[in-house]
Amino acid sequence: LDGAFLLNLIDGFFATSKFGLSSCHGGFVKTGWGGKCPKEEGIYPEDAVGLLKYTPEAGATVDQVLDELSLLLTSSRLSNTNRGIIKAETEKYYSNGDKAKAIRIAQQLIVSTPEFHTTNLSQMTGTKRELSGYTNPPRNRYKAVVYLMMEGGADSFNLLVPKSDCGNKNLYREYKISRGTI
């Protein structure tokens, strides 16, 4: 996982909301079938294998649309802060009658939130984090992405060590062979 992968992931989400599940404009489908990619969002190409469509009820307000999109995309975990940012950006298009564009913008912004990318509640406390680990504070501000590679971290031989003499198969011997020298 690196920066390029993360940017491609977000680009794929954005392209899916604009052009459907296709190869157009950085979409997730990597093989096109010769269809032309539209230049305007909301027009779906011939090679789209799926569409991300949401149609609100007639007369729905921006708040009702955001409630439903939050339910669908974050299990209603969208924070008030992020909801306010998204509402400010979508409301101008929604109130001017371009509801489809407002919904696409809301979808794009929601998939950019921590609530979309996690399965638990993200809480913004507003308090400054205590800086630790430095004898002198850093001169410049920075942000870091921390990625924990957990491949194999929860495979069966790491959770339970098998016993020997378990029926006609010696699982403990298989375990020792697969683990190597410990």
Side-chain angles (χ1 to χ4, degrees), residues 7 9 31 83 87 91 100 150 173 180:
L7 290 174
L9 180 67
T31 57
R83 181 190 177 89
K87 182 177 179 181
E91 201 162 34
M150 301 296 283
R173 187 178 64 223

Side-chain angles (χ1 to χ4, degrees), residues 54 56-71 78 82-107 109-110:
Y54 163 76
E57 289 186 25
T61 65
V62 172
D63 285 314
Q64 291 169 323
V65 168
L66 290 178
D67 284 343
E68 286 189 337
L69 287 175
S70 174
L71 173 66
L78 192 60
N82 287 335
R83 181 190 177 89
I85 293 168
I86 294 166
K87 182 177 179 181
E89 289 303 311
T90 58
E91 201 162 34
K92 49 191 162 193
Y93 295 101
Y94 200 84
S95 60
N96 287 336
D98 197 349
K99 293 180 180 180
K101 182 169 186 162
I103 289 168
R104 285 192 305 273
I105 290 170
Q107 289 170 337
L109 292 175
I110 289 172

